[in-house]
Amino acid sequence: MKVDGRHFRSIWLEPDGWSVAAIDQRRLPHEFIVTRITTADEAGEAIRSMLVRGAPLIGATAAYGMALAMRSEASDAALDRTARMLLATRPTAVNLKWAVDEMRRVLAPLAASARAEAAYARAREIAEEDVAINRDIGRHGLDLIAQIAATKKPGEPVNVLTHCNAGWLATVDWGTATSPIYQAHDRGIAVHVWVDETRPRNQGASLTAWELGHHGVPHTVIPDNTGGHLMQHRMVDLAIVGTDRVAANGDVCNKIGTYLKALAAHDNGVPFYVALPSPTIDFSIDDGVRQIPIEQRAASEVTHLTGRTADGRIETVRVVPEGSPAANFGFDVTPARLVSGLITERGVLRADRAALASAFPERSKAG
Ligand code: MRU
């Protein structure tokens, strides 16, 4: 998508053909800084520190991390070591495991001498596939927005509420939840996005607002607890969120606070859609609410806030009394019954086991 009129992806291979560049998302929206990643350890650290984040981008970064590892040592031991290191970086987004397993599947049978080249080829493909998948998600989601625009909101903007950042920054390009929004906007359908700020890391306020603004999409940032009020007053036509892992039964894990929005949507008859690429489906998990591992992050993300001062300095300040404990659950799980539909690259599906298995039989059989 566009930054100041120039097309960017969130991650790419540098012209040297081996090092990887990524936008440092910890510095947005205040500074636009591109970082070079030159080793597997740096790729792991980029994921752990949330320099890159968002399920599909975490997967793509891990794939490049495996390629960087193979460039310096392509033994079986290096393959296993790198896979273990990357898998330990963040627990919830299943795209990480999907990408690492995929790289291992391709690389393990090869002679060590062939691994580096094959690893770069597959990592590049994974990144390209993500872009194509998200474009298709956008195409299917666009139909939902277009239908609301035509039937319920002629001449008025369609109001979409989203949570966290499931935008192009969270993927390689397009985003998942934002892809239908960008495609609607680009086709001249009037959309307006309610952007949940998404405490504690503020991915909505800092990232979603930044990327929508740079693409020219009208939007308004709201405190996380505003959605219910807006829905009661018919100010939300539909909600579209991303996800870090969808269980085989259609339960959806996403950034903490998503569940509350789904409850409010259900109570107010607002359609609640989840946009996902197929690598986000975890067919090995039958019950998302009980089985998806939920990342717990540092209390300091809750007790402190970072922002830019009037004179341009980036500062971190404490907002919670010294001595008050803070809990920081990174994700929650929305039960499938609250999900109106899953927007995938193969169409909009019911959030249930049968629909997921029949749309993605090759993934469902592999478990
Ligand atoms: O902790 P983050 O910022 O990696 O969490 C990201 C989200 O929850 C996104 O909404 C999700 O990964 C979907 S991204 C297309």
Side-chain angles (χ1 to χ4, degrees):
M1 304 304 289
K2 296 247 167 70
V3 181
D4 296 332
R6 198 173 144 203
H7 181 258
F8 273 92
R9 286 183 172 181
S10 60
I11 194 167
W12 62 92
L13 203 58
E14 287 281 64
D16 61 20
W18 67 271
S19 66
V20 177
I23 298 169
D24 187 343
Q25 303 196 19
R26 300 166 307 184
R27 314 288 280 269
L28 289 170
H30 308 298
E31 297 169 304
F32 183 78
I33 290 182
V34 172
T35 302
R36 197 158 160 253
I37 298 170
T38 59
T39 64
D41 284 341
E42 287 175 10
E45 190 46 33
I47 298 170
R48 197 185 340 265
S49 70
M50 292 177 70
L51 183 153
V52 291
R53 28 68 52 207
L57 178 56
I58 289 171
T61 307
Y64 278 123
M66 296 287 280
L68 286 163
M70 293 300 98
R71 185 175 178 266
S72 62
E73 187 195 331
S75 64
D76 286 355
L79 196 55
D80 284 353
R81 198 169 54 240
T82 310
R84 269 201 312 277
M85 179 275 290
L86 289 166
L87 288 173
T89 53
R90 292 193 72 190
T92 300
V94 77
N95 306 56
L96 173 62
K97 181 173 181 313
W98 175 85
V100 169
D101 285 352
E102 180 58 19
M103 294 299 283
R104 265 205 291 217
R105 184 188 68 75
V106 169
L107 301 178
L110 301 179
S113 59
R115 281 180 177 165
E117 196 183 331
Y120 273 100
R122 186 65 189 117
R124 263 197 308 263
E125 258 172 31
I126 285 174
E128 291 302 329
E129 281 164 14
D130 183 63
V131 178
I133 284 174
N134 297 334
R135 198 180 295 119
D136 287 346
I137 286 172
R139 208 162 37 81
H140 296 299
L142 166 66
D143 293 343
L144 297 170
I145 296 177
Q147 205 184 356
I148 292 173
T151 57
K152 295 199 187 130
K153 303 293 289 263
E156 277 183 80
V158 176
N159 287 303
V160 184
L161 182 139
T162 193
H163 190 69
C164 193
N165 173 257
W168 70 264
L169 288 167
T171 66
V172 179
D173 207 349
W174 287 105
T176 55
T178 56
S179 186
I181 294 168
Y182 286 128
Q183 296 197 29
H185 173 81
D186 290 352
R187 276 168 184 69
I189 298 173
V191 276
H192 164 262
V193 185
W194 295 112
V195 178
D196 281 351
E197 62 175 347
T198 319
R199 280 281 285 146
R201 293 280 299 214
N202 287 329
Q203 289 96 327
S206 301
L207 305 176
T208 306
W210 181 84
E211 57 163 272
L212 290 173
H214 275 272
H215 200 78
V217 179
H219 62 280
T220 306
V221 178
I222 48 173
D224 282 331
N225 30 26
T226 308
H229 170 78
L230 296 179
M231 291 181 197
Q232 275 177 330
H233 291 272
R234 301 279 151 242
M235 293 161 83
V236 179
D237 297 303
L238 81 164
I240 311 180
V241 299
T243 170
D244 296 81
R245 195 184 296 222
V246 174
N249 68 348
D251 288 350
V252 168
C253 181
N254 192 46
K255 182 54 58 190
I256 193 81
T258 303
Y259 174 39
L260 289 173
K261 297 301 140 63
L263 284 169
H266 185 71
D267 196 43
N268 290 284
V270 173
F272 186 90
Y273 285 95
V274 178
L276 64 134
S278 52
T280 304
I281 307 167
D282 186 349
F283 279 104
S284 75
I285 283 196
D286 286 326
D287 178 333
V289 175
R290 277 174 190 75
Q291 293 173 284
I292 294 177
I294 301 296
E295 178 177 15
Q296 293 196 47
R297 299 186 54 84
S300 59
E301 293 183 349
V302 179
T303 57
H304 290 70
L305 278 172
T306 299
R308 176 170 236 158
T309 61
D311 61 0
R313 282 170 299 120
I314 309 289
E315 282 209 351
T316 300
V317 295
R318 172 175 269 279
V319 289
V320 171
E322 293 280 358
S324 287
N328 189 2
F329 295 89
F331 299 89
D332 60 26
V333 179
T334 299
R337 67 187 160 76
L338 299 176
V339 176
S340 309
L342 300 171
I343 311 173
T344 74
E345 70 265 32
R346 295 192 185 161
V348 181
L349 312 177
R350 283 191 326 272
D352 67 32
R353 195 179 304 271
L356 280 166
S358 100
F360 298 99
E362 71 287 11
R363 296 283 322 284
S364 121
K365 282 192 196 95

